[in-house]
Amino acid sequence: MQRHLLVAAVLATLSLLVSGQTDFFYKLSLQWPPSVCGPSQCGSPIPRTFTIHGLWPQFVTNDRPVPPYNPTTNKCTNVTPTAPGQILVPLKPIQDQLNELWPSLLKQTTNVAFWRHEWEKHGMCSDYPDKPHDYFTAALDLTTTYNPLEGTEVKPRQDPYKAIEIREAIKAKLGKYPEISCGKVSNTIQLKEIRLCFERAKPPVVLRDCPTKYSNQCSDDDNQVKFPPATSEVLEF
Ligand code: AMP
């Protein structure tokens, strides 16, 4: 009897571990273009609203990205995923919205090349491996629904904010904590991306706290983080 219980407990733990490893949530990464664009890196005009970097499946257990599809080493789906070279036709009906909300900011990268990169790296092992239209639409819908700092006290300005002020403003607005990702320009830490996290669903709609508070050049609630106004990069770089 005791042995049966032990076996059952071990099996339950194993299945939890296994399902935990394969289970993911979605991270929507929104970029602040004035912080992304170094000197003459970007075309003009530089957008003055947050734009999409990507919608990323992330493992629940460790907040690492689900690795890209590979037919031999990472066959993450039973269907045949749409190849990056094939996404443009299904994306045609939403291409105008993608151009506006999910542009490549970098002059050297076309919008289509950026979308293909994001599809190859993050879309093919999402819940939409053969539905690029639905995957990109999910990201567009979340972006039009959640404008994380709009209407809060945190606005672009020359004076830096404490990192925690940005996190708390978003928590107060949306009810869940974001991840804040920063860059650095000549010793000034800048707000580069705001990442919002969503429970796995098709489409993802339910916000959850992001497991990671800060990434890249910010790491601490007390970091001084600049949220630069749209024109300041001309002076900065
Ligand atoms: P990821 O692979 O999703 O982590 O994205 C990183 C890659 O995307 C890097 O090669 C970046 O240079 C590129 N990237 C990030 N944001 C943009 C953007 N807005 N426009 C063009 N390329 C970008």
Side-chain angles (χ1 to χ4, degrees), residues 31 53 56 103-106 109 114 117-118 121-122:
Q31 299 180 316
H53 180 170
W56 306 331
S104 162
L105 295 171
L106 308 177
T109 310
F114 185 35
H117 167 83
E118 288 298 309
K121 193 154 169 203
H122 304 282

Side-chain angles (χ1 to χ4, degrees), residues 29 31 33 36-37 41-42 51-56 65 102-111 113-115 117-119 121-122 192-193 195:
S29 195
Q31 299 180 316
V36 174
C37 293
Q41 272 182 311
C42 299
T51 56
I52 302 172
H53 180 170
L55 179 64
W56 306 331
W102 201 330
S104 162
L105 295 171
L106 308 177
K107 266 197 259 179
Q108 86 249 13
T109 310
T110 64
N111 288 359
F114 185 35
W115 304 335
H117 167 83
E118 288 298 309
W119 174 251
K121 193 154 169 203
H122 304 282
K192 197 167 176 187
E193 303 201 352
R195 297 173 177 167

Side-chain angles (χ1 to χ4, degrees), residues 69-153:
Y69 177 80
N70 180 296
T72 44
T73 58
N74 189 33
K75 201 169 177 305
C76 53
T77 167
N78 289 328
V79 302
T80 306
T82 306
Q86 306 299 315
I87 64 172
L88 206 49
V89 171
L91 295 189
K92 270 274 170 291
I94 53 170
Q95 201 168 344
D96 288 349
Q97 224 189 342
L98 285 170
N99 284 331
E100 187 194 335
L101 296 179
W102 201 330
S104 162
L105 295 171
L106 308 177
K107 266 197 259 179
Q108 86 249 13
T109 310
T110 64
N111 288 359
V112 174
F114 185 35
W115 304 335
R116 284 193 173 133
H117 167 83
E118 288 298 309
W119 174 251
E120 184 165 24
K121 193 154 169 203
H122 304 282
M124 291 168 77
C125 280
S126 70
D127 287 310
Y128 305 92
D130 58 347
K131 298 270 183 301
H133 171 278
D134 296 358
Y135 169 77
F136 283 87
T137 298
L140 292 172
D141 286 348
L142 291 175
T143 303
T144 47
T145 305
Y146 297 103
N147 193 340
L149 286 172
E150 193 183 52
T152 73
E153 298 290 294

